[in-house]
Amino acid sequence: MPPVASLLLAHRPERRTMLVIGDGRLAQTRVRTAKEAGLETKLAWNAPVANISSDMYQVSTMALFPSKDDKENCIRAWEHILNEIDGPDASLFAVCVTDTLVAVPNDASSRRLRCEILAKACRTRRLPLNVTDTPELCTFSFPATHRFATDDEENASSLQLAVTTNGRGCRLAGRIRRHLVASLPASVGLAVERIGEMRELAKARTSCRGDAGELEDEPALNDALGYSSTAEDESDACAVQRRRMRWVAQISEYWPLERLASLDQTQMQALLENEMDASSRAQETSAVTEHVEPVAKRSRHDLDISKPRRKGHVYLLGSGPGHPALLTVAARDILTSPDTDVILSDKLVPTAVLALIPSTTPLVIAKKFPGNAEGAQSELISQALKAANEGKTVVRLKQGDPFVYGRGGEELVACQNAGIECTVVPGISSAIGGPLMVNIPVTQRGAAESMIMSTGVGRGGKRVMLPGYERSRTLLLLMGVARLPAVIETLTSCESPGRYGDAYPPYTPIAIVERASSEDQRLIASTLDRIVHVMDTHITDGQRPPGMLVVGWAVLSLTSTQVAGAHVLDDEADCYAEHEHDPARAAKQLAERDAARIDRWLGSRGFYIREGLPHGYDRFAQDAPALTRSLDDPTTLPRSSSGWAAPRYGEAMETPTLAPSSQPSS
């Protein structure tokens, strides 16, 4: 036999009381739920309970937990509790048991006895009862609920959603609730508030009173929308009100939720007035043609549901480290969508990613160069806001992740201040993905237990404070390659005003990762005391921006077993355990082991250089089509279907060029 369905009701129990018996997180949840519904709460427990902001109803241990063999004493105890809380005004609304009867004592029969006694006492008083994990004793259950938001942060929407499995799976009910909420527009709560306001306007516009002088709310429920379809005397104020309420009902039924949420007071009043004008015109036409039949009810298909003027939208889009195959699905969809009106790209976004953009979509590349970064950033924000105010869909394409030193936060705040919707689409951060492309993990068991990320360039080109040395930590430095000598000096000097913490040992491993995930990516690995010399004498083609620095023992942690990079932290523990009472000797022995490890890693040259993508990435070459447009020639970028003409900078704009060595195969 299928389980009996619940009678789902929405109670309004203001100024009544709920008794919660128990403690812990579930009791706190029940208290919060009760307070949201306007209930007073009483908590019964035999000891003070932390983190409960409610009235405490204290009872003694013996009163709450009488001997399991003393049934009569247990009955009297529950009778006393219920009588005292219910009071002469019978204010007790419901009783909820969480874990009190489970905790003491740990006896199933005693627990069951107490539950049954409480259930009988509640039935005698016709009090609803909920006992956790005992559905056969419950007269009500708590569904999984959700309260929708509005544009007012202080007040939630009147719309609530509840899901119940009738005790068959509370966790599953919560999961189903999340799916239902996710399937609805984010503005659905605001739509309910707008319809509520429009209903009040429709009723307030006329004075319709019944025999008792009270304002009538709903007319007779006869038609499919819940309103009477009989002919009415149009001069009657009640009939006018009913017609307007029918109009609001039709709007509620058939208009898009997003449009309902966007209505303001002026639009609501105009809709109600337009409905009256349309009705009056229909009556005049009927009189002229001497049509004897009553005016037909407006068809629901006569509603004007044409979309309002589209509001602009800005997407802050992360392009990942650089390889097109490392774009997220969302990023690729937005870049290639015909609904995208203009793309404003950072200069360092690789050409292979830009090649995915359809030739009909206008593309603007930032003209950032040393000394002009602030101006170019402000210009891009202005262009994005201007296009969005014109109803355009704008993509701000940023390298890596938009918020990891990408200044995406500034652009998000600018959109919020301008009242423009902005969606952040995360990208794989170059700070994490870049090292992985050359087999360097930022954390690794036995070598690096934590990581810290910093920039090598502060605001306005100023120096930033760099962290000191910790053997178990990896330092990631973005935008520091151009200042490599100064960075090394700051890290290794015994006393440096630009560093907090201990100095780095000169033999600490360092890696420079350039153009990570591009076909011409390059890794240059050495130690802090050698890396500047390596860059000056062995790198003949200069730097390949963008680049980053990785400092720490994680750099060699995945090399050969002879190097034993994954046991860096074990060596430290062994040395200090062996020389427990002589820290200086332990430090000397550890330094000797580190030097030997460095020699095995780098060999006699003291560095190594690797170029190109790892094996296996050639399978993704087909995902990077050849660039068919010229980034330097604005005439190759036609207008989009929306009429947006692409502003270009011409020769003054610095744009990435497609090197022959990185030309993707078709």
Side-chain angles (χ1 to χ4, degrees):
M1 180 178 177
V4 177
S6 297
L7 177 62
L8 298 178
L9 303 173
H11 289 278
R12 299 292 298 273
E14 293 97 339
R15 295 182 296 277
R16 300 195 66 189
T17 303
M18 174 179 283
L19 171 61
V20 179
I21 303 172
D23 69 349
R25 292 180 58 186
L26 184 56
Q28 295 182 44
T29 301
R30 297 294 185 241
V31 169
R32 285 195 299 268
T33 301
K35 288 196 169 186
E36 287 178 359
L39 281 161
E40 300 290 335
T41 56
K42 296 287 185 180
L43 187 73
W45 182 240
N46 65 309
V49 181
N51 301 322
I52 294 287
S53 57
S54 67
D55 297 331
M56 299 294 295
Y57 179 77
Q58 296 289 337
V59 296
S60 67
T61 302
M62 289 305 298
L64 190 58
F65 305 114
S67 171
K68 65 179 181 179
D69 299 324
D70 192 352
K71 182 177 179 180
E72 294 300 323
N73 189 22
C74 187
I75 293 174
R76 287 193 297 271
W78 287 125
E79 293 280 351
H80 172 74
I81 292 173
L82 295 179
N83 287 338
E84 185 169 344
I85 296 178
D86 201 17
D89 56 351
S91 63
L92 188 56
F93 175 75
V95 179
C96 171
V97 180
T98 58
D99 59 353
T100 300
L101 299 181
V102 181
V104 182
N106 294 319
D107 187 308
S109 62
S110 177
R111 171 183 179 273
R112 179 71 186 192
L113 174 62
R114 290 179 173 83
C115 289
E116 291 176 349
I117 292 174
L118 178 60
K120 183 176 180 180
C122 289
R123 286 196 300 270
T124 302
R125 291 166 173 77
R126 296 184 178 180
L127 289 174
L129 171 68
N130 176 271
V131 182
T132 301
D133 295 328
T134 314
E136 63 273 17
L137 295 181
C138 296
T139 55
F140 79 97
S141 61
F142 287 91
T145 61
H146 179 82
R147 187 87 179 269
F148 289 84
T150 66
D151 54 357
D152 184 355
E153 296 182 359
E154 296 183 359
N155 298 309
S157 171
S158 301
L159 178 61
Q160 290 179 269
L161 182 146
V163 178
T164 181
T165 58
N166 288 301
R168 304 287 286 180
C170 297
R171 291 281 185 179
L172 184 58
R175 177 183 174 184
I176 294 171
R177 173 202 60 195
R178 293 193 297 271
H179 279 284
L180 292 174
V181 171
S183 67
L184 292 169
S187 59
V188 64
L190 191 57
V192 171
E193 300 308 308
R194 295 295 177 260
I195 285 297
E197 295 171 13
M198 195 170 181
R199 283 169 52 86
E200 294 302 320
L201 281 175
K203 291 187 290 185
R205 299 286 293 183
T206 58
S207 56
C208 175
R209 299 187 178 275
D211 295 338
E214 296 297 331
L215 186 66
E216 294 181 358
D217 187 359
E218 301 286 356
L221 305 179
N222 292 335
D223 67 358
L225 292 176
Y227 294 98
S228 172
S229 59
T230 58
E232 299 154 340
D233 181 4
E234 295 297 332
S235 63
D236 184 14
C238 288
V240 174
Q241 186 188 85
R242 291 189 180 98
R243 188 172 61 253
R244 285 179 169 167
M245 293 298 290
R246 285 199 299 270
W247 177 238
V248 175
Q250 290 185 357
I251 291 175
S252 302
E253 185 76 18
Y254 298 108
W255 279 30
L257 293 173
E258 292 85 350
R259 186 177 181 190
L260 294 178
S262 67
L263 293 174
D264 56 29
Q265 289 284 334
T266 302
Q267 292 171 326
M268 295 178 196
Q269 294 175 0
L271 284 170
L272 295 175
E273 294 297 335
N274 291 340
E275 192 280 334
M276 289 298 297
D277 293 343
S279 178
S280 300
R281 288 195 298 271
Q283 281 189 310
E284 293 172 0
T285 304
S286 175
V288 171
T289 57
E290 298 181 351
H291 189 54
V292 294
E293 295 182 4
V295 178
K297 186 181 70 171
R298 292 171 60 90
S299 168
R300 65 185 63 174
H301 302 294
D302 290 338
L303 291 172
D304 178 16
I305 58 173
S306 58
K307 292 184 178 180
R309 184 179 183 271
R310 183 166 67 98
K311 291 184 177 180
H313 198 107
V314 174
Y315 288 92
L316 285 176
L317 193 68
S319 66
H323 198 289
L326 298 180
L327 285 168
T328 63
V329 174
R332 192 182 185 99
D333 286 349
I334 294 171
L335 287 177
T336 58
S337 171
D339 295 329
T340 297
D341 293 300
V342 63
I343 297 177
L344 308 176
S345 173
D346 283 347
K347 187 178 74 171
L348 293 178
V349 174
T351 309
V353 172
L354 300 179
L356 299 175
I357 302 172
S359 60
T360 55
T361 302
L363 171 65
V364 176
I365 300 178
K367 53 178 181 180
K368 288 187 179 181
F369 51 84
N372 186 47
E374 296 291 339
Q377 177 73 5
S378 299
E379 185 175 359
L380 283 177
I381 293 176
S382 297
Q383 290 183 14
L385 297 181
K386 180 177 183 297
N389 281 322
E390 295 175 0
K392 310 294 183 182
T393 296
V394 184
V395 173
R396 266 295 286 122
L397 184 60
K398 307 181 77 65
Q399 176 75 354
D401 181 88
F403 279 42
V404 180
Y405 295 116
R407 304 181 68 169
E410 300 173 20
E411 301 183 33
L412 177 62
V413 170
C415 290
Q416 292 173 341
N417 292 339
I420 294 172
E421 291 186 355
C422 183
T423 301
V424 179
V425 181
I428 298 175
S429 173
S430 300
I432 307 298
L436 285 181
M437 293 299 299
V438 292
N439 288 341
I440 295 177
V442 295
T443 61
Q444 177 62 33
R445 184 179 181 184
E449 296 175 337
S450 63
M451 55 158 284
I452 187 168
M453 188 185 305
S454 179
T455 175
V457 184
R459 296 182 60 184
K462 297 179 181 179
R463 173 184 291 183
V464 296
M465 289 292 293
L466 298 180
Y469 176 71
E470 285 191 17
R471 186 177 181 83
S472 62
R473 186 171 67 190
T474 304
L475 171 62
L476 305 175
L477 271 173
L478 280 69
M479 300 171 287
V481 180
R483 294 168 172 79
L484 183 62
V487 169
I488 299 301
E489 175 69 19
T490 299
L491 293 178
T492 57
S493 296
C494 294
E495 295 183 3
S496 174
R499 186 194 69 241
Y500 58 90
D502 297 335
Y504 281 71
Y507 53 78
T508 304
I510 180 175
I512 299 177
V513 184
E514 299 176 334
R515 295 180 58 80
S517 81
S518 298
E519 291 194 359
D520 60 341
Q521 77 171 17
R522 181 166 63 185
L523 166 68
I524 306 161
S526 187
T527 56
L528 290 178
D529 58 349
R530 301 172 182 173
I531 189 64
V532 174
H533 176 73
V534 171
M535 293 294 292
D536 290 341
T537 59
H538 296 280
I539 304 301
T540 59
D541 59 350
Q543 300 175 14
R544 298 179 185 174
M548 64 174 295
L549 305 177
V550 185
V551 183
W553 293 102
V555 172
L556 53 72
S557 62
L558 297 185
T559 52
S560 65
T561 55
Q562 293 181 347
V563 176
H567 300 286
V568 172
L569 301 184
D570 294 338
D571 281 356
E572 181 184 28
D574 293 343
C575 290
Y576 281 92
E578 183 178 349
H579 305 286
E580 182 178 358
H581 302 293
D582 192 351
R585 186 175 179 182
K588 181 180 179 181
Q589 182 180 10
L590 180 60
E592 292 172 352
R593 291 192 184 187
D594 287 343
R597 178 181 286 109
I598 293 295
D599 289 341
R600 293 193 298 270
W601 173 48
L602 295 177
S604 59
R605 295 186 65 189
F607 71 94
Y608 69 85
I609 301 173
R610 292 177 184 169
E611 298 190 42
L613 290 172
H615 293 298
Y617 268 79
D618 53 347
R619 68 177 296 176
F620 302 115
Q622 59 184 354
D623 290 335
L627 187 63
T628 56
R629 68 158 105 200
S630 169
L631 298 179
D632 296 313
D633 183 6
T635 62
T636 63
L637 299 175
R639 293 175 181 266
S640 67
S641 58
S642 61
W644 177 265
R648 302 309 302 266
Y649 297 111
E651 296 179 356
M653 180 182 66
E654 294 187 7
T655 60
T657 57
L658 189 63
S661 60
S662 62
Q663 179 77 22
S665 58
S666 57

